[in-house]
């Protein structure tokens, strides 16, 4: 299942795996939109194999914390809400997005 996650994660410069009912997922996808990023949002609860993918994401994240949101930038797993917000507040998220081709500013 990790192969399927990585295949989807490579489809666009920014991919966010979410659950439609997750408020933190909404926060992260809203941040990406506000920054001007056209992220691919893959809602696991709308995917027939979503539960298996969620378990694979949890394993990829080290088995701790929630599996979603899981943010991939440039095909690489960056992390969840805490990591993305920390990078944003430190001014490191925008350069990362630019390097991945997700921002042109």
């Amino acid at each position: 299942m990790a192969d399927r996650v990585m295949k989807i994660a490579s489809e666009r410069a920014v991919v966010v795996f979410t659950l439609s009912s997750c408020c933190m997922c909404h926060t992260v996808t809203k941040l990406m939109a506000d920054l001007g990023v056209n992220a691919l949002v893959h809602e696991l609860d709308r995917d027939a194999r979503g539960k298996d993918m969620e378990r694979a994401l949890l394993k990829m994240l080290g088995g701790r914390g929630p599996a979603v949101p899981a943010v991939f930038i440039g095909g690489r797993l960056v992390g969840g809400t805490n990591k993305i917000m920390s990078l944003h507040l430190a001014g490191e998220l925008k350069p990362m997005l630019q390097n991945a081709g997700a921002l042109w500013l």
Side-chain angles (χ1 to χ4, degrees), residues 6-102:
M6 293 307 294
K7 182 181 181 308
I8 294 169
S10 68
E11 290 179 2
R12 208 171 290 163
V14 177
V15 178
V16 184
F17 289 89
T18 69
L19 291 171
S20 60
S21 61
C22 170
C23 63
M24 297 318 294
C25 295
H26 176 75
T27 300
V28 168
T29 56
K30 176 86 168 92
L31 171 65
M32 292 298 172
D34 288 350
L35 292 173
V37 173
N38 185 18
L40 170 63
V41 177
H42 190 89
E43 291 185 346
L44 297 176
D45 50 344
R46 301 193 192 283
D47 186 310
R49 293 191 272 171
K51 283 290 182 194
D52 294 331
M53 292 173 68
E54 190 173 351
R55 281 190 286 278
L57 285 164
L58 186 58
K59 192 179 239 184
M60 293 167 83
L61 288 164
R64 57 190 180 282
V68 294
V71 180
F72 287 77
I73 299 175
R76 185 177 69 85
L77 177 60
V78 176
T81 307
N82 289 344
K83 182 66 176 181
I84 295 301
M85 293 304 180
S86 295
L87 288 168
H88 181 56
L89 292 172
E92 298 171 15
L93 183 59
K94 277 188 180 181
M96 189 180 288
L97 293 167
Q98 287 172 326
N99 289 338

